[in-house]
Amino acid sequence: MPSDTVTTLADKTARATPLALARRVRALSDQAIAWLFITPTIVLLLAINIFPLLWTIYLSFTSYRANQPGRPIRWIGTRNYERLLGSEDIWGYMQVTASFVVWTMVIQVLIGLGLALLINRNFKGAGFWTTVILIPMMLSPAVVGTFWTYLYHPQIGIFSYIVNVFAAVGPLDMIGSVDLAMWSIIIVDTWMWTPYIMLLCLAGLRSIPPYLYEAAEIDRAGPLQQFWHITLPRVMPFLMLAVLFRGIENFKMFDMVVELTSGGPGSTTELASINLKREAFEKWRTGYSSAFAVILFVTVFGLANIYVKALNRVKQT
Amino acid sequence: MRSGRFLLAAAGLILAVAAPAKAEEELTLCWAAWDPANALVELSRDFTAETGIGMNFEFVPWTNFADRFLNELNSGGQLCDLMIGDSQWIGGSATYGHYVRLNDFFTAEGISMDDFLPATVYAYSTWPKGSPNYYALPAMGDALGWVYRRDWFDRPELRAEFSATYGRDLEPPETWTQLREIATFFQGREIDGKTVYGAAIYTERGSEGITMGVTSVLYPWGFQYENPDQPYDMDGYVNSPAAVEALEFYRALYECCTPPGHSDAYMVANLDAYRSGQVAMQMNWFAFFPGIVKDETVGGDVSGFFVNPRHTIEASVLGGQGISVVSYSDKQDLALQYIQWFAQPEVQAKWWALGGYSCHRSVLEDPGFVDTAPFAADFLRAMSGVKDFWQEPTYAELLQSMQAHVHAYVVAGEGTAQEALDSLVEDWTFTFEDDGKL
């Protein structure tokens, strides 16, 4: 074998290394080299992901408060978890969050899939309309929350004006009404993120080979049958992936809702993440809020795992 | 010509060399972003001119003010050398060592707390409350007051109609009952072809808004936070029949007399509602009143001012702040120099003239003071009966509990006033138990 022939990872690395180091590198095994490269990443991951997670779990069993530097960290066992799981307020915030996630997902899937089917028809100007539809998704959630407060304003907002064109209900206070506040955040989230669902559905639709529809037509399958037996099964993995991403995002939704309603009126739209922030950085109950964060993490992690298994099953069928 | 260029280059070199030395002589002052902050920037130019110490300012909007700067203090940050922190922060900041205790400095420099209005010294400077332990110099006196559309109140046809309906003249209200009658009178009325509303009150959920609004009614109803003979004993005080009645009154006022969509409103929202000609009256901090007087649309004779109405007693919600030296600053000497400069009577007089609210008695007790601004007399009257929220180290937790309970009752209409205040007592008791006070 010629001496300059590169055969191992160590040789490759040695050739790209200054001469002084090259000899040492040549002495390393491939596995050692691989470890050398991935160690910084692993260290970084441990430092910014794993350590905070473990530290949060530890703090969740203490009465620690971050705003009281001199106060010793006192181990209180599972008291934070008992208080959290026994609190009606916490269950209320979880219900509000679940309601928000479920409604946004249902509405966005229906509209997103519908829009994708329309855009997929490749009519004249389809590209232009795709771009227009995608614009809300590109905005900052905090900005969206802020300007929708103006759109929703009962006196000067266009939303109330449009509703009154169709039904004379007078000034419509979407944000201040207990009955409408939840719908106000669902509508804004739908406006902003339906394009995302549409985009993934469109990718799914474009991946369906045309010959499947040609074969179905030969078999005299109607549009509804084609949709039910070809389109939907083929798009389903993309749709489920979109729901997974958006579901996790909406479970931890914070900025847009804070700008829009601040969790009000009362606690009508106080999502779990908003309450978590209040407990952690306004009330400074660090131990208690750590326990809440762990519960939320386990919930999302568990639900996401179940969902991913379902997704894999759909892919296999 | 050449020698001129040479001199210019030499001067540039000298400036370049001198610049880093000057940059070291700089202070950063942290406060809220609002009208008085602009006045302070203007005032501080004199300090820089006198001492050569440059001033930087970090101003944060009120909605994020506590979040941002309490985080800074809790993390031992060195961004701020001087902090004009909210009055409620004094307990926590003294207890946890965020502020420098100023007693020795005051003694050494001959700064006497007797030169400042006692209510402001008590509220902005002392911890434990009322003790001679000073952690701030009273910097910005403030209280919750009211502004009204004098031009509307002066209209003969409106005065006649009001008089016929309520049997008295349409004048700024002295009591809360009168205020509600006036607000009801204006609610939904057409004025100059535009629908107007009664009053803009605080309803904000996120920071402290609705608590400030609700306490402006609770205090005149004789509200007490605790048993005067037994600290932290709140049952029967916070949820007393008078407190329940006051909270019910605030909700009734919100329902009858606020503009549509006024469900999450604090200072700026009230100012906007008033300046845009939407409401006949607004509650707001006196700090904003100089801006209203100068306003193009509602300034001058268009607006009038009145002190928080009374019920069984006369009382106003305390605002305002003291100026403190941050203990994590490595420029404490310079910061103390600023406080020494700021405490001078002539600086305090200019502070008031620029739009800041001095707490110095030489300014406030000057015989001509009440004539210096249309709201000056009301400010003095308000400051003589101010009451503040808890100033405990756990104030933020206490505040958030109150925000949640009163917003749920007043704006969302959940439960009763009694239930809201009973729940508040439970939450506050838990907080004090957790803090080792009970």
Side-chain angles (χ1 to χ4, degrees), chain B residues 93-149:
Chain B
S93 297
T95 306
Y96 306 134
H98 302 323
Y99 291 167
V100 173
R101 188 170 178 269
L102 297 171
N103 287 52
D104 294 343
F105 166 71
F106 285 164
T107 307
E109 299 302 332
I111 298 170
S112 171
M113 285 292 102
D114 293 340
D115 291 340
F116 293 85
L117 208 64
T120 63
V121 175
Y122 178 87
Y124 306 149
S125 303
T126 62
W127 187 261
K129 280 292 102 191
S131 71
N133 293 292
Y134 305 118
Y135 290 89
L137 181 91
M140 171 77 194
D142 203 0
L144 207 57
W146 287 81
V147 192
Y148 71 99
R149 287 296 296 260

Side-chain angles (χ1 to χ4, degrees), chain B residues 50-99:
Chain B
E50 282 178 32
T51 63
I53 299 169
M55 290 298 292
N56 297 315
F57 297 92
E58 283 289 329
F59 297 146
V60 173
W62 274 111
T63 42
N64 303 103
F65 177 61
D67 261 11
R68 172 73 185 86
F69 287 133
L70 285 178
N71 273 333
E72 181 68 21
L73 292 175
N74 288 326
S75 60
Q78 291 192 311
L79 171 70
C80 313
D81 304 303
L82 288 157
M83 175 73 77
I84 303 188
D86 229 346
S87 54
Q88 299 100 323
W89 301 5
I90 197 87
S93 297
T95 306
Y96 306 134
H98 302 323
Y99 291 167

Side-chain angles (χ1 to χ4, degrees), chain A:
Chain A
M1 187 177 289
S3 62
D4 62 340
T5 306
V6 175
T7 54
T8 65
L9 186 59
D11 283 329
K12 276 185 189 173
T13 312
R15 283 166 66 88
T17 308
L19 201 61
L21 281 175
R23 270 190 219 135
R24 288 185 188 179
V25 171
R26 270 183 219 283
L28 295 172
S29 67
D30 277 9
Q31 201 177 10
I33 294 283
W35 272 108
L36 206 62
F37 278 114
I38 62 169
T39 299
T41 310
I42 288 177
V43 168
L44 206 66
L45 205 65
L46 284 171
I48 63 173
N49 272 0
I50 307 301
F51 170 72
L53 180 64
L54 295 176
W55 187 245
T56 303
I57 293 170
Y58 163 66
L59 288 179
S60 72
F61 294 103
T62 70
S63 63
Y64 179 61
R65 283 169 180 271
N67 69 332
Q68 298 180 9
R71 187 167 145 159
I73 299 179
R74 196 160 54 90
W75 182 269
I76 56 168
T78 56
R79 201 198 300 169
N80 284 330
Y81 288 94
E82 288 163 24
R83 271 175 48 200
L84 275 162
L85 296 173
S87 163
E88 280 182 25
D89 289 344
I90 294 297
W91 286 109
Y93 303 135
M94 295 296 261
Q95 276 176 11
V96 168
T97 309
S99 175
F100 174 69
V101 172
V102 169
W103 278 112
T104 48
M105 287 304 93
V106 169
I107 297 170
Q108 287 173 28
V109 162
L110 290 175
I111 300 177
L113 182 60
L115 284 173
L117 288 168
L118 276 176
I119 295 290
N120 196 42
R121 288 174 172 245
N122 279 330
F123 56 90
K124 196 177 173 187
F128 169 77
W129 287 111
T130 307
T131 310
V132 169
I133 291 168
L134 291 180
I135 287 173
M137 201 177 84
M138 299 169 193
L139 302 173
S140 150
V143 172
V144 168
T146 304
F147 77 68
W148 269 89
T149 57
Y150 294 105
L151 297 181
Y152 275 142
H153 196 283
Q155 289 174 284
I156 57 167
I158 196 165
F159 190 87
S160 178
Y161 176 79
I162 290 171
V163 170
N164 273 278
V165 167
F166 296 102
V169 291
L172 192 65
D173 190 1
M174 287 291 289
I175 294 171
S177 157
V178 177
D179 299 326
L180 299 174
M182 175 56 81
W183 285 104
S184 75
I185 60 172
I186 290 171
I187 289 169
V188 176
D189 191 77
T190 301
W191 174 82
M192 188 170 180
W193 290 111
T194 298
Y196 179 78
I197 307 258
M198 182 202 82
L199 210 58
L200 285 192
C201 288
L202 202 56
L205 288 172
R206 297 258 160 99
S207 72
I208 303 172
Y211 67 80
L212 290 179
Y213 291 107
E214 289 161 12
E217 272 177 22
I218 290 166
D219 290 341
R220 298 195 173 183
L224 203 63
Q225 285 173 308
Q226 287 182 24
F227 174 78
W228 194 252
H229 294 290
I230 301 172
T231 309
L232 202 56
R234 293 275 172 165
V235 170
M236 191 55 86
F238 293 87
L239 203 55
M240 288 186 75
L241 210 58
V243 168
L244 177 69
F245 292 152
R246 287 302 312 143
I248 292 173
E249 282 294 312
N250 276 4
F251 202 89
K252 54 185 187 162
M253 169 61 73
F254 178 80
D255 37 11
M256 185 269 282
V257 177
V258 163
E259 288 301 321
L260 204 56
T261 66
S262 297
S267 299
T268 311
T269 57
E270 186 152 335
L271 304 175
S273 57
I274 296 175
N275 184 258
L276 178 59
K277 187 260 179 182
R278 285 190 170 138
E279 293 291 340
F281 299 111
E282 289 176 20
K283 297 184 176 182
W284 294 99
R285 293 172 172 170
T286 315
Y288 179 82
S289 54
S290 296
F292 194 11
V294 169
I295 289 174
L296 288 181
F297 172 74
V298 169
T299 309
V300 175
F301 192 74
L303 288 175
N305 260 324
I306 295 168
Y307 192 86
V308 167
K309 279 182 184 162
L311 178 66
N312 287 336
R313 209 172 299 143
V314 168
K315 274 184 182 171
Q316 283 162 5
T317 54

Side-chain angles (χ1 to χ4, degrees), chain B residues 175-188:
Chain B
T175 67
W176 276 102
T177 311
Q178 290 176 1
L179 186 140
R180 189 166 67 182
E181 284 173 359
I182 295 170
T184 308
F185 176 75
F186 279 103
Q187 183 76 4

